[in-house]
Amino acid sequence: MISATFWKSVILYVALWPFVSALPPATALLRGLYIAPYEANTKSNFNFILTNQTSRSYLLDFIAQKNINSISIYDLHKILPDAALSTNLLDFIQTARSRGVIEVNAVGGILDDFDRINTFNEKNGRPFNGAITEVEFWNAKPENLILGQNNVEAAFNAYISLLGAINNLKSGLKLTSYLGWLDKDTTNQTVVDERALKIARNLQRVYLHCYDKTPDLAWERRAVDRISKFSKAENLLEFQPIFSAEGNDYYDDVIAHGFMGDWIRNNSIGAAEESFLQNYLKDPSATNSSQLKMVGFQYFDYKYLAFHVPLVTAPTTTITATTNKPTTTTSTAATTTTTTTSATATTAITTTSTTATTTTTKPTTTTATTTTTTTTTKPATTAATTTTTTTTKPTTTTPTTATTTTTTTKPATTTATTTTTTTTTKPTTTTATTTTITTTTKPSTAAGTTTTTTTNKPTPTVLTGQPCTTYTSSVCSAGVTYYCTGSGPYVWAVWHTGC
């Protein structure tokens, strides 16, 4: 049952056709990433990833931590002709799927590439879901031939012919194209519109170039125009904006390299997506098309994104428990003389002793780096020598490793009056959540001691998704939690929680 607080937190309320009619039911939006797994790179984490176990493990951890659920793979013209590399690729894809990837796309540029992709797919149980063309026909010129053509119009026609030939392979792969400028060589709107229609007839999805410094600029200067060009598609066409994670310190484009990498580093991947979505949802010209549907985001590419928002290793939480008990022990390292009255003996025993220490380290499963504890202090009944018992137990959480260290110090036993102070520290058992904030402070039985439990609550926005009847309550995908929120069948609230 959704609380009144939840309703008050929703800052947008938009009812639209669902974004994701063509996606698996458990998925709301795609967070896609281009990956070049077999390229040389001076940065070790990105150098020939496919054959470097350390780099491969880092990439797989990055995919899981950043909630990447779609990957698009470059370098297949180098990988697929080699049997050993092909085996490595298949293993990588299978492992990536176990880490949260639900869609794997193969990138190519000429028909031979797609022949090889189709053959590999049929032989290996169809590990690829889709194929992506990487053909920048708008950049064709005499010194830069595209598909053998030296001008934009000829290159465009060759590109359309390529799409037809790929479709004739009957591979069953969803065909996508990366697209930028349709009007680089003309101001004739009729020509531009006709190009968009020809492209849409041959594709199921387009990746629209939205490279800019911020999500707002990507929307204003790139997305609005490019979405409008495909809004008159005659067939159902999915789209994803592409953000470039290149920044001022690491980039590929030496002319215009200051793209979104620095903004994402200073904010987050989720913040970039939310900002863009808010612009998209508020623009009727973008959302009114009955054929063009946004299904997620795409990032160029892994090395730039991982450079600006690297894998975060959770810190280890160390919990120490110490117990002091009276004993009769002598040591040459350090000497303690204590006088204590025993409750069961009348004979005074005076002993010179030191501490004997036992340390045990045990792994503890945790997911939080903060332990919330309750401390109770009982005052001593008399003033004299003190025997202190302190016990600390870690909060029960998952899945980071913590260390528990137990140290026992046994002082000497002697005769005197007894003062006993017992301090027991126990954690409050907490469960980390990503959708609510609860802060509770309770006084302990001793003055000045409190117990506090805090969890984080994000700011929500509203998206659309599958009909409310598709899920029982909520779903997590690509770092977002979706809740069915309204009476309309396509109204969803989205909380960017990093779930």
Side-chain angles (χ1 to χ4, degrees):
M1 188 71 180
I2 300 173
S3 68
T5 302
F6 174 84
W7 291 107
K8 291 177 182 178
S9 300
V10 176
I11 61 174
L12 293 172
Y13 193 80
V14 183
L16 298 173
W17 189 272
F19 284 142
V20 290
S21 57
L23 296 180
T27 303
L29 288 176
L30 293 173
R31 180 176 286 173
L33 183 64
Y34 278 111
I35 298 169
Y38 200 65
E39 70 174 4
N41 195 294
T42 56
K43 300 182 186 303
S44 60
N45 275 347
F46 314 132
N47 186 47
F48 292 111
I49 295 168
L50 200 59
T51 55
N52 183 316
Q53 186 59 45
T54 300
S55 299
R56 182 178 180 273
S57 296
Y58 188 95
L59 168 56
L60 290 166
D61 288 344
F62 183 87
I63 285 171
Q65 186 180 94
K66 307 303 181 184
N67 296 299
I68 304 299
N69 58 10
S70 172
I71 56 176
S72 302
I73 300 177
Y74 290 128
D75 300 330
L76 295 177
H77 65 292
K78 295 183 285 186
I79 295 170
L80 296 186
D82 185 285
L85 292 177
S86 295
T87 299
N88 285 348
L89 175 66
L90 185 62
D91 180 71
F92 168 76
I93 291 173
Q94 291 169 342
T95 307
R97 288 190 181 276
S98 74
R99 305 301 294 275
V101 170
I102 62 170
E103 180 183 81
V104 182
N105 299 305
V107 181
I110 59 175
L111 187 58
D112 284 349
D113 293 338
F114 296 97
D115 275 328
R116 279 191 294 265
I117 289 165
N118 194 33
T119 300
F120 174 84
N121 217 37
E122 293 299 325
K123 283 184 177 180
N124 294 284
R126 302 185 65 79
F128 291 121
N129 303 99
I132 301 173
T133 66
E134 191 82 6
V135 180
E136 296 185 353
F137 59 82
W138 55 89
N139 284 329
K141 47 192 172 184
E143 64 274 24
N144 184 39
L145 299 182
I146 303 294
L147 297 178
Q149 307 303 315
N150 64 7
N151 66 82
V152 174
E153 181 64 22
F156 174 79
N157 290 331
Y159 160 71
I160 294 297
S161 296
L162 174 64
L163 295 183
I166 295 170
N167 283 320
N168 287 338
L169 294 175
K170 307 294 184 183
S171 65
L173 297 173
K174 176 176 285 187
L175 187 56
T176 300
S177 279
Y178 152 60
L179 293 168
W181 289 260
L182 303 189
D183 54 0
K184 202 165 189 178
D185 66 328
T186 181
T187 58
N188 188 323
Q189 192 59 45
T190 301
V191 171
V192 173
D193 290 344
E194 184 59 31
R195 285 177 178 175
L197 289 174
K198 286 181 179 179
I199 293 170
R201 290 177 191 135
N202 285 279
L203 298 175
Q204 288 79 54
R205 185 185 297 171
V206 290
Y207 286 169
L208 298 181
H209 176 291
C210 293
Y211 292 11
D212 220 309
K213 293 178 181 294
T214 73
D216 286 345
L217 290 176
W219 171 258
E220 295 165 10
R221 303 202 295 204
R222 305 296 183 195
V224 171
D225 177 63
R226 287 169 183 167
I227 289 172
S228 70
K229 285 179 170 58
F230 287 97
S231 62
K232 298 177 183 178
E234 299 166 337
N235 53 291
L236 183 63
L237 186 66
E238 301 171 349
F239 85 92
Q240 293 171 236
I242 308 178
F243 296 157
S244 172
E246 296 167 84
N248 290 324
D249 298 325
Y250 191 34
Y251 52 85
D252 179 63
D253 190 328
V254 297
I255 298 173
H257 59 263
F259 295 128
M260 210 179 295
D262 297 302
W263 192 97
I264 292 174
R265 176 169 56 193
N266 294 331
N267 295 275
S268 70
I269 298 172
E273 294 170 354
E274 184 170 1
S275 177
F276 185 94
L277 280 170
Q278 287 180 356
N279 283 308
Y280 173 72
L281 292 171
K282 290 185 291 187
D283 189 338
S285 67
T287 56
N288 280 346
S289 172
S290 61
Q291 299 296 336
L292 187 63
K293 303 301 171 190
M294 183 175 176
V295 295
F297 295 87
Q298 184 75 5
Y299 291 86
F300 175 83
D301 71 352
Y302 163 63
K303 58 182 175 288
Y304 301 120
L305 192 62
F307 175 83
H308 289 98
V309 282
L311 186 66
V312 177
T313 302
T316 302
T317 302
T318 302
I319 310 296
T320 303
T322 304
T323 304
N324 297 325
K325 297 180 179 179
T327 186
T328 55
T329 305
T330 302
S331 171
T332 59
T335 303
T336 303
T337 302
T338 307
T339 304
T340 306
T341 300
S342 171
T344 59
T346 57
T347 305
I349 302 173
T350 302
T351 308
T352 301
S353 68
T354 186
T355 58
T357 303
T358 302
T359 302
T360 304
T361 302
K362 296 181 181 180
T364 303
T365 305
T366 61
T367 51
T369 57
T370 303
T371 301
T372 304
T373 61
T374 302
T375 304
T376 303
T377 305
K378 298 179 180 180
T381 55
T382 59
T385 307
T386 301
T387 302
T388 303
T389 302
T390 304
T391 305
T392 305
K393 296 182 180 179
T395 302
T396 302
T397 47
T398 57
T400 311
T401 301
T403 303
T404 302
T405 304
T406 303
T407 305
T408 304
T409 304
K410 300 180 179 181
T413 301
T414 53
T415 303
T417 59
T418 302
T419 299
T420 303
T421 300
T422 302
T423 303
T424 303
T425 303
K426 295 183 179 180
T428 300
T429 302
T430 59
T431 301
T433 67
T434 56
T435 59
T436 59
I437 294 181
T438 304
T439 302
T440 305
T441 303
K442 298 179 180 179
S444 70
T445 54
T449 306
T450 60
T451 301
T452 303
T453 303
T454 304
T455 52
N456 295 324
K457 179 179 182 179
T459 301
T461 56
V462 168
L463 284 183
T464 60
Q466 290 283 6
C468 293
T469 54
T470 303
Y471 311 109
T472 56
S473 58
S474 65
V475 62
C476 173
S477 176
V480 204
T481 300
Y482 296 81
Y483 291 89
C484 188
T485 65
S487 57
Y490 303 128
V491 184
W492 288 75
V494 54
W495 284 19
H496 285 273
T497 59
C499 57

